[in-house]
């Protein structure tokens, strides 16, 4: 433990990437935060508009959206911290609050995405046997249990000091070197955390996707209509979306943490290795933050109302654009062309209706 502390204080190169980080990381957060807030707020809006049709999948989606919104709310102050060159002038209490908000909603999101994948799996593979587990009442209990579990896992962060004064008088917040040397079993604890928080959910989701894909492939061979079913496409879309978000956003961070903790168990990494780990952590945490922007793609498959609302918004934007172009063109060509155009449009719409 003393060796870790001594090395931590002797390493003066841990934040040498400050000039690049203070520009790129706040820039990334300035994009992730508004996009994540908008996409998840739209999901909540759609879900509450259809509150009478609430089911297990929309309930998990709503909780995922809430966790993403809270997650995004922690990003502006983190962006300020990075913009100031890894300096936190806002005190220990606010650092703890932001850290708790960050990790609680990160791992709540992981668990709710796992629930979405399991729900779609059960709905198609065991539609009759396990239907009672997908009732809204049971889904509510699962959501409450997830929030309590994640809080229990992260509340211990409030008992330790998360800020640290560096050799250059900068105060860092929520940085890995601030935890090193606090207790001897830190690598073991973090490895267990990676296993529970990432490996178990990932294996569960991949298993659901693999079994479901195999079942659908076998069903498609015997019945072509099964392959074209909107329900099966929805299930595969939800689980594939969750796997994609897991691999892109959560995979790099947890694998990076895992490899360094394994090295810590074998030998004491030097300052150069610790600095490389610091840089990689800042990059992979940015990727992990990206999940709040990618989760709306999961809602696109999970929530029918979300997909319809998004498509209507896109059509309205495109329609508005072409209407403005059309008006300019018609004004220059005269009213006779305008009337002819309207007649042609009316004929075309009638033909489409007849074809439908």
């Amino acid at each position: 433990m003393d060796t870790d502390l001594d090395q931590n204080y002797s390493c003066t190169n841990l934040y040498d990437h400050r000039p690049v980080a203070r520009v790129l990381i706040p820039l990334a957060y300035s994009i992730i935060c508004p996009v994540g807030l908008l996409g998840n707020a739209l999901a909540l809006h759609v879900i509450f508009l259809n509150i009478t049709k609430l089911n297990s999948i929309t309930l998990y989606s709503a909780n995922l959206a809430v966790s993403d919104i809270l997650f995004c709310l922690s990003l502006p102050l983190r962006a300020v911290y990075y913009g100031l060159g890894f300096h936190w002038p806002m005190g220990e209490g606010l650092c703890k609050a932001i850290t708790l908000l960050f990790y609680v909603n990160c791992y709540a999101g992981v668990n709710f995405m796992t629930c979405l994948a399991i729900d779609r799996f059960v709905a198609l593979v065991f539609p009759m046997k396990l239907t009672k587990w997908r009732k809204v009442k049971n889904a509510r209990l699962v959501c409450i249990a997830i929030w309590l579990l994640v809080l229990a896992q992260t509340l211990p962060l409030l008992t330790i000091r998360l800020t640290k004064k560096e050799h250059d008088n900068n105060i860092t917040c929520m940085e890995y070197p601030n935890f090193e040397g606090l207790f001897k079993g830190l690598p073991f604890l973090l490895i267990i955390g990676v296993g529970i928080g990432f490996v178990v959910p990932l294996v569960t989701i991949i298993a659901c996707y693999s079994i479901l894909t195999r079942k659908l492939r076998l069903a498609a061979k015997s019945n072509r209509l099964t392959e074209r079913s909107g329900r099966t496409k929805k299930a595969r879309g939800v689980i594939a979306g969750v796997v994609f978000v897991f691999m892109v956003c959560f995979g790099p961070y947890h694998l990076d943490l895992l490899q360094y903790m394994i090295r810590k168990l074998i030998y004491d990494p030097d300052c150069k290795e610790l600095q490389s780990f610091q840089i990689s952590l800042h990059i992979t945490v940015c990727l992990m933050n990206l999940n709040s922007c990618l989760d709306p793609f999961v809602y696109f498959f999970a929530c029918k109302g979300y997909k319809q609302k998004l498509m209507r918004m896109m059509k309205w934007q495109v329609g508005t654009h072409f209407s403005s172009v059309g008006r300019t063109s018609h004004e220059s060509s005269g009213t006779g062309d305008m009337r002819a155009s309207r007649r042609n449009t009316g004929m075309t719409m009638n033909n489409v209706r007849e074809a439908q």
Side-chain angles (χ1 to χ4, degrees):
M1 183 168 67
D2 294 335
T3 304
D4 286 336
L5 279 171
D6 293 340
Q7 183 187 8
N8 197 0
Y9 279 105
S10 64
C11 292
T12 59
N13 63 337
L14 299 183
Y15 303 98
D16 284 355
H17 57 295
R18 182 182 288 113
V20 176
R22 70 187 304 171
V23 174
L24 293 183
I25 298 179
L27 180 62
Y29 285 2
S30 67
I31 297 170
I32 291 170
C33 184
V35 172
L37 286 174
L38 182 63
N40 288 285
L42 178 62
L44 282 181
H45 172 69
V46 170
I47 289 167
F48 281 113
L49 281 179
N50 299 280
I51 196 72
T52 55
K53 299 177 182 178
L54 191 68
N55 56 32
S56 57
I57 195 165
T58 52
L59 191 59
Y60 294 137
S61 297
N63 278 269
L64 179 58
V66 168
S67 74
D68 281 341
I69 288 171
L70 293 173
F71 184 83
C72 287
L73 292 177
S74 71
L75 296 182
L77 286 180
R78 293 296 296 169
V80 171
Y81 166 69
Y82 289 118
L84 292 174
F86 302 104
H87 178 55
W88 184 266
M90 292 167 270
E92 175 71 19
L94 197 53
C95 177
K96 284 183 177 179
I98 291 298
T99 302
L100 192 68
L101 193 64
F102 184 90
Y103 282 111
V104 164
N105 293 290
C106 170
Y107 288 106
V110 166
N111 285 298
F112 286 123
M113 279 194 284
T114 307
C115 287
L116 279 171
I118 293 172
D119 183 271
R120 290 298 83 200
F121 171 77
V122 170
L124 275 169
V125 179
F126 304 107
M128 301 303 294
K129 292 181 182 178
L130 300 178
T131 185
K132 64 178 182 179
W133 295 107
R134 298 185 59 244
K135 289 183 178 180
V136 174
K137 180 182 176 181
N138 293 324
R140 282 200 183 101
L141 293 176
V142 170
C143 292
I144 293 170
I146 286 172
W147 285 111
L148 291 176
L149 175 65
V150 174
L151 278 172
Q153 290 173 331
T154 51
L155 279 176
L157 287 171
L158 299 181
T159 64
I160 60 178
R161 188 167 184 83
L162 299 177
T163 58
K164 178 189 163 190
K165 193 171 184 179
E166 301 295 329
H167 68 282
D168 57 1
N169 291 324
N170 275 348
I171 299 172
T172 55
C173 167
M174 207 174 87
E175 299 289 351
Y176 168 75
N178 300 5
F179 298 95
E180 268 204 335
L182 287 176
F183 52 93
K184 196 173 182 180
L186 182 63
F188 288 106
L189 185 64
L190 290 177
I191 288 172
I192 292 170
V194 170
I196 296 173
F198 174 71
V199 176
V200 171
L202 181 63
V203 169
T204 303
I205 291 164
I206 290 176
C208 287
Y209 186 65
S210 301
I211 296 169
L212 181 62
T213 301
R214 183 174 177 274
K215 182 178 176 64
L216 292 176
R217 191 180 292 118
L218 291 173
K221 287 181 179 178
S222 58
N223 187 355
R224 290 278 182 182
L225 292 176
T226 304
E227 189 177 6
R228 299 174 186 174
S229 169
R231 191 182 175 199
T232 59
K233 286 181 180 178
K234 178 179 178 180
R236 292 175 71 175
V238 169
I239 301 179
V242 170
V243 171
F244 176 75
V245 172
F246 255 73
M247 298 302 289
V248 171
C249 299
F250 296 105
Y253 171 79
H254 288 93
L255 293 176
D256 188 31
L257 191 62
L258 183 63
Q259 62 84 23
Y260 190 77
M261 290 306 111
I262 291 172
R263 279 195 283 161
K264 287 278 293 179
L265 293 176
I266 300 171
Y267 67 94
D268 288 325
D270 59 22
C271 287
K272 187 176 180 180
E273 289 177 282
L274 182 55
Q275 186 206 21
S276 298
F277 179 56
Q278 271 292 93
I279 294 171
S280 63
L281 272 183
H282 290 140
I283 295 170
T284 55
V285 165
C286 271
L287 283 174
M288 192 162 66
N289 295 333
L290 189 63
N291 87 91
S292 58
C293 294
L294 295 182
D295 283 344
F297 288 101
V298 177
Y299 309 143
F300 188 83
F301 292 101
C303 305
K304 184 179 179 182
Y306 185 88
K307 181 178 180 179
Q308 291 174 341
K309 183 81 172 178
L310 192 62
M311 294 300 288
R312 279 199 300 268
M313 287 174 65
M314 290 174 66
K315 285 178 181 178
W316 181 81
Q317 290 287 346
V318 173
T320 303
H321 171 73
F322 280 109
S323 294
S324 62
V325 172
R327 281 196 299 272
T328 305
S329 176
H330 292 155
E331 285 168 5
S332 63
S333 61
T335 56
D337 289 342
M338 186 188 297
R339 289 169 185 168
S341 176
R342 285 176 181 170
R343 284 197 300 270
N344 291 337
T345 303
M347 290 170 65
T348 303
M349 290 302 295
N350 288 334
N351 291 337
V352 170
R353 291 191 191 102
E354 289 171 6
Q356 290 174 343

